Amino acid sequence: MARRTTDDEGGARLDRLVELLFKYRPFAFAKGSLAFDAPVPVWVIVVLALAAVGASTVWYSRHAGNLSRGTRVTLASLRAVAIAVLALALARPVLVLSTSVQQRNVVAVVVDDSRSMAVRDVDGGARGDVVTRLAGGADSSLLRALAERYQLRVFRLGGGGRLADASSVRYEGGRTRLASSLLRIEDDLAGVPTAGVVLLSDGADNSSADPGADPGEGGPAEQLLSLRARHVPVYTVGIGRERFERDVEVARVEAPRTVLRDASLFVQVVLVQRGYGGSRIPVVVEDSGRIVGTATAVLPRDGEAVSVRVRVPASEVGARLLEVKVPVQPGELIAENNARSTLVVVRDRREKILYVEGEPRFELKFLRRAVEGDNNIQLVTLLRSSRDKFLRLGVDDSLELATGFPRTREELFAYRGVVLGSLEAAFFTADQLRMLADFVGERGGGLLVLGGRDALGEGGYGGTAVSEALPLELQGVPEDAAAVATVQATPTAPGAGHPALQLAATDSANRARWATLPALTSVNRLGRAKPGATVLLNGIGDDGVASRPLLAFQRYGQGKAIVFGAQDSWLWQMDATIAVDDQTHETFWRQMLRWLVSDVPDRVETMIAEESGPGEGITIRAEVSDSGFLKANGAAVQGTVTTPSGVTQEVVLEWAVERDGEYRATYVPEGTGVHEVRLRAVVGRDTVNGASAYVRVAPPTSEYFGAEMRPALLRQVASETGGRYYPAERALDVARDMVYSASGATVVEKKDLWDMPALLVVMLVALGAEWALRRRRGVA
């Protein structure tokens, strides 16, 4: 606060100094242009001035012979400066400005009526109290200063029509949309000569989180360009502190939107604070009032963020509203930003995964056994039992995989994940290898490649379309193809916190379990991770030093590709050191396969904001694909919205012409609570139902997050539109600077500059210095 006050006072003093020396405020010089209004041509004055300078130079060179050369040059220069200043004054410089015609223009005074303006951070009072002093009535300081020259119209930023003044404003707006609101107000003033807009705000814009925003309207940057194109200057006045002294804020909560039942669910919480560095505070996650997870955060230095991970069970099916809370600390300025909510949908459905294996081996047997009792994983297996003979396991009917590995996109893309075992690349056609890559990149499926003697580089996958998707570089077949490396699986830093690698209930127990697992073997030479890939497990060699990537993944197009380079994870079930009832192997593979199919899109994908305010329009978007997951235009898409009370509302989605396969609709929810949205699309002869999506309708709290005054945005709005930014302490300068607005009804004036005090000061200083130096040298 002290820093900001010092900067503001320095700016005010600079403005006063410029006005004292140059007659006019800096804003006038920024808006005007320099010209000359001499009674004779300017070139005549320039010639006479040069002649006078030459004459004085000659005189000093001839009549001051007892002076040193340096002194003569100094005296001649001082005389030249005085002559130049005199010549400039005789040339009659003027500042050409457009100025507003008195009482012929309208000025819109816009008051930010959002909830953040009720924050009490200004001299013990609320930000709204500052607005009341400035614009709370006809006798308020800012309105009185503006009314001397302009007709005034007062608006609320959140809409609702004109006001007499700001005294009746109630600061209850749920969102701040600076640019779009200013555009709307300028639309209301269309056809009216408008000198400018005065915005009283804390700059806490949160329009990017608006669930009802139309993607076609563009973001704040595009809206600012529209404001600039209207040539109506916006003069912004910042209200509030730029830095809070004491506050803890739940800045961000991250959790997957959807998970399968019994998957590892982590909520990542980011806290920022000022004034409580070094403190330890509890972080609590509640589900419908029940505490389902806790953690402890050690707060870092002021202004720095700390991230905390909280484990939450995912055993209850449906939409779960998780609320993350930290206790209100003594002396905190805002209590509302100590909690955030996030919506997680726990699904109970059977995910279909295709596992292709080239030979009977224990890895297949024990992997299938691990998920045998899992109702959420259907592991369809195609096993090459001998030459040209295949065994199909877990198929839905006699026709599935009857001809072997899928030969069409429609057949392969019906699965949500693919696991490749020890099966050489020559088993597939070139089209099938490309189809596998497209399964990941275009369909958005998950691909898991296991280690084995005929897998990865040893299986000839290097240089194929599949290798492009994999996270690790594949090396050539070694000379000793039978070389086997024994490795200890060790989580990396990213792996230690990854949901798929959680084998115990706590972080410490998880680290201990990984450290005591039996070593595995690998016959594949895996190269380094590709740019953008993440290594989750390293394989530490027998020497305890040498390591190789063992488990890695990367995003590839719409999906993800995973490599697990071990060939015998079944040892985690059958090794002599493993207890009979140990569930480590089952837990590992159930979580791995859940991760494999997480975030895999359906043919009808519903995209909707997680949260919305009552009465706000919510935009529903859908991406619709055909059976080959090519974007489908011309589909008939409808949806059903169900409120918490069971009331349903039908919506029809229209094709968004600018994007293939995208459909949109906007609806206004009735009541609060969690609303369910189910979409169905008719694509050709197929009727496809989308999975349920959910949106929480509640009074928005975004105004309390990042609630410190944001001068950067206010300066940007002013700069883009030709206005100026002012701190609240200098709000009255708006009326003085707006005189030079080029918008509305204006006249062009010429402001004389020849009599600027700065010119007189420079001339007196030059002549005085010349006289003093001549007297000192005895030639006065």
Side-chain angles (χ1 to χ4, degrees):
M1 181 64 179
R3 168 81 177 271
R4 191 195 72 161
T5 302
T6 302
D7 292 345
D8 294 344
E9 291 176 352
R13 286 195 294 267
L14 180 61
D15 281 2
R16 288 195 296 269
L17 180 61
V18 170
E19 187 173 8
L20 174 65
L21 293 176
F22 299 96
K23 291 183 61 177
Y24 306 106
R25 294 174 55 78
F27 193 72
F29 287 94
K31 289 295 184 180
S33 59
L34 184 66
F36 295 95
D37 193 24
V40 297
V42 174
W43 66 268
V44 174
I45 298 174
V46 172
V47 170
L48 293 176
L50 292 174
V53 170
S56 65
T57 302
V58 170
W59 188 90
Y60 274 119
S61 64
R62 293 181 177 179
H63 299 284
N66 60 328
L67 300 178
S68 66
R69 178 180 176 84
T71 301
R72 293 198 300 270
V73 170
T74 301
L75 289 171
S77 299
L78 291 172
R79 178 64 63 87
V81 169
I83 293 172
V85 171
L86 178 62
L88 179 61
L90 293 175
R92 296 294 296 261
V94 293
L95 187 64
V96 182
L97 283 165
S98 294
T99 58
S100 300
V101 179
Q102 192 164 357
Q103 296 302 326
R104 292 282 302 276
N105 292 283
V106 168
V107 167
V109 179
V110 182
V111 177
D112 185 349
D113 59 342
S114 61
R115 292 177 181 173
S116 62
M117 293 295 288
V119 173
R120 306 182 68 83
D121 67 337
V122 184
D123 298 328
R127 297 170 179 177
D129 297 338
V130 178
V131 174
T132 300
R133 290 197 296 270
L134 293 174
D139 294 331
S140 57
S141 56
L142 181 59
L143 292 189
R144 185 171 62 251
L146 290 170
E148 293 177 0
R149 195 175 187 91
Y150 305 101
Q151 303 174 38
L152 302 182
R153 296 186 183 181
V154 182
F155 297 87
R156 283 197 299 264
L157 190 66
R162 290 173 54 186
L163 304 170
D165 52 57
S167 60
S168 61
V169 173
R170 301 180 64 182
Y171 300 99
E172 298 177 345
R175 303 187 192 278
T176 302
R177 310 173 181 89
L178 285 182
S180 60
S181 297
L182 290 174
L183 286 170
R184 173 182 49 78
I185 290 170
E186 290 186 5
D187 287 340
D188 292 343
L189 297 174
V192 177
T194 304
V197 176
V198 180
L199 173 63
L200 307 177
S201 172
D202 55 15
D205 184 278
N206 44 57
S207 57
S208 59
D210 187 357
D214 185 350
E217 292 181 356
E222 291 80 3
Q223 293 170 349
L224 279 178
L225 291 176
S226 299
L227 275 175
R228 182 171 63 180
R230 299 190 180 195
H231 304 292
V232 177
V234 179
Y235 302 84
T236 57
V237 179
I239 313 293
R241 291 187 185 182
E242 294 182 34
R243 292 291 181 268
F244 293 152
E245 294 180 359
R246 296 176 69 82
D247 188 59
V248 178
E249 176 181 308
V250 181
R252 190 167 70 249
V253 173
E254 295 178 350
R257 288 295 299 268
T258 61
V259 295
L260 274 180
R261 187 182 64 179
D262 296 328
S264 295
L265 174 58
F266 288 95
V267 178
Q268 199 75 25
V269 183
V270 178
L271 305 178
V272 295
Q273 60 82 33
R274 294 188 186 277
Y276 301 98
S279 302
R280 297 173 64 90
I281 61 173
V283 180
V284 178
V285 179
E286 296 182 357
D287 182 359
S288 302
R290 296 179 293 113
I291 296 178
V292 294
T294 60
T296 300
V298 180
L299 300 181
R301 294 180 300 177
D302 285 2
E304 294 184 358
V306 61
S307 182
V308 181
R309 192 183 58 169
V310 186
R311 296 168 180 261
V312 175
S315 54
E316 297 182 18
V317 176
R320 298 177 57 187
L321 183 62
L322 303 180
E323 186 173 17
V324 179
K325 297 180 177 179
V326 297
V328 178
Q329 302 301 302
E332 257 199 277
L333 190 62
I334 303 177
E336 291 83 356
N337 63 5
N338 287 43
R340 270 188 187 270
S341 297
T342 186
L343 198 60
V344 177
V345 180
V346 180
R347 291 177 174 170
D348 184 17
R349 70 181 189 182
R350 199 163 175 81
E351 300 282 18
K352 200 171 184 180
I353 301 172
L354 173 61
Y355 180 6
V356 187
E357 184 58 80
E359 60 182 346
R361 59 176 183 157
F362 285 131
E363 191 72 347
L364 167 64
K365 174 182 178 180
F366 283 93
L367 197 160
R368 285 190 54 83
R369 180 185 293 181
V371 299
E372 188 174 16
D374 193 332
N375 294 326
N376 296 115
I377 299 294
Q378 180 185 358
L379 194 62
V380 179
T381 305
L382 181 65
L383 169 64
R384 184 174 61 185
S385 56
S386 62
R387 184 180 178 86
D388 297 330
K389 291 186 178 180
F390 296 91
L391 177 65
R392 296 176 294 152
L393 303 172
V395 294
D396 288 332
D397 53 47
S398 61
L399 297 179
E400 187 173 1
L401 302 178
T403 59
F405 187 82
R407 298 180 180 179
T408 65
R409 288 170 61 104
E410 290 76 11
E411 189 179 359
L412 179 62
F413 288 11
Y415 299 95
R416 298 175 65 80
V418 173
V419 180
L420 291 184
S422 183
L423 183 66
E424 69 279 2
F427 171 80
F428 303 99
T429 66
D431 289 340
Q432 287 174 323
L433 290 171
R434 170 48 60 188
M435 199 162 58
L436 275 170
D438 291 344
F439 174 82
V440 183
E442 297 181 10
R443 190 256 187 269
L447 173 64
L448 170 60
V449 182
L450 305 179
R453 63 181 183 179
D454 289 326
L456 299 165
E458 287 70 14
Y461 285 90
T464 66
V466 171
S467 69
E468 298 174 4
L470 299 183
L472 301 176
E473 295 179 355
L474 302 184
Q475 298 183 355
V477 180
E479 295 180 2
D480 184 5
V484 177
T486 300
V487 293
Q488 180 68 45
T490 304
T492 62
H498 196 278
L501 303 186
Q502 302 308 305
L503 306 180
T506 65
D507 290 346
S508 58
N510 190 59
R511 287 193 297 270
R513 189 69 190 106
W514 277 105
T516 57
L517 284 177
L520 306 179
T521 62
S522 175
V523 297
N524 301 107
R525 296 204 314 166
L526 297 175
R528 61 185 179 182
K530 295 178 181 178
T534 302
V535 178
L536 301 179
L537 287 177
N538 276 327
I540 308 299
D542 293 334
D543 56 4
V545 178
S547 67
R548 65 172 69 187
L550 192 63
L551 175 64
F553 81 97
Q554 73 170 2
R555 300 297 304 185
Y556 180 75
Q558 300 295 318
K560 60 176 169 287
I562 309 168
V563 169
F564 181 51
Q567 66 170 349
D568 48 9
S569 68
W570 57 270
L571 290 173
W572 292 343
Q573 179 69 59
M574 296 303 293
D575 190 83
T577 61
I578 300 295
V580 175
D581 58 350
D582 190 283
Q583 295 294 307
T584 298
H585 184 261
E586 287 87 346
T587 300
F588 173 76
W589 278 112
R590 290 184 181 191
Q591 292 181 163
M592 280 286 292
L593 295 182
R594 278 172 165 76
W595 172 43
L596 178 67
V597 296
S598 63
D599 301 322
V600 174
D602 296 319
R603 286 182 57 186
V604 176
E605 272 292 291
T606 306
M607 292 163 289
I608 191 170
E610 183 178 312
E611 189 174 277
S612 176
E616 294 182 342
I618 300 176
T619 298
I620 304 174
R621 295 190 300 130
E623 284 191 354
V624 180
S625 305
D626 61 17
S627 57
F629 275 80
L630 299 175
K631 302 303 181 185
N633 299 328
V637 185
Q638 294 181 315
T640 302
V641 181
T642 305
T643 67
S645 61
V647 178
T648 61
Q649 177 182 349
E650 297 296 320
V651 294
V652 177
L653 284 72
E654 301 292 338
W655 175 38
V657 180
E658 70 275 11
R659 295 193 62 181
D660 287 336
E662 183 171 308
Y663 300 78
R664 298 178 193 154
T666 301
Y667 85 102
V668 178
E670 297 180 2
T672 59
V674 177
H675 294 232
E676 179 186 17
V677 180
R678 285 191 66 94
L679 300 183
R680 57 192 175 277
V682 178
V683 185
R685 297 182 178 180
D686 295 341
T687 299
V688 185
N689 292 317
S692 293
Y694 297 87
V695 57
R696 180 197 180 207
V697 180
T701 59
S702 55
E703 284 291 319
Y704 298 113
F705 295 89
E708 295 171 326
M709 198 266 286
R710 305 180 195 174
L713 178 59
L714 296 176
R715 285 191 176 95
Q716 183 183 7
V717 171
S719 175
E720 291 284 352
T721 58
R724 191 182 182 189
Y725 165 78
Y726 307 83
E729 296 80 4
R730 298 177 55 200
L732 295 185
D733 288 345
V734 174
R736 305 178 64 187
D737 287 340
M738 192 178 290
V739 173
Y740 307 115
S741 170
S743 177
T746 62
V747 294
V748 177
E749 294 185 355
K750 295 180 179 180
K751 304 287 188 181
D752 284 333
L753 298 178
W754 66 269
D755 55 351
M756 290 188 299
L759 294 181
L760 178 62
V761 169
V762 172
M763 178 178 288
L764 291 177
V765 168
L767 293 176
E770 180 192 6
W771 178 82
L773 183 58
R774 289 178 59 181
R775 182 175 181 180
R776 184 177 179 181
R777 295 292 189 266
V779 293

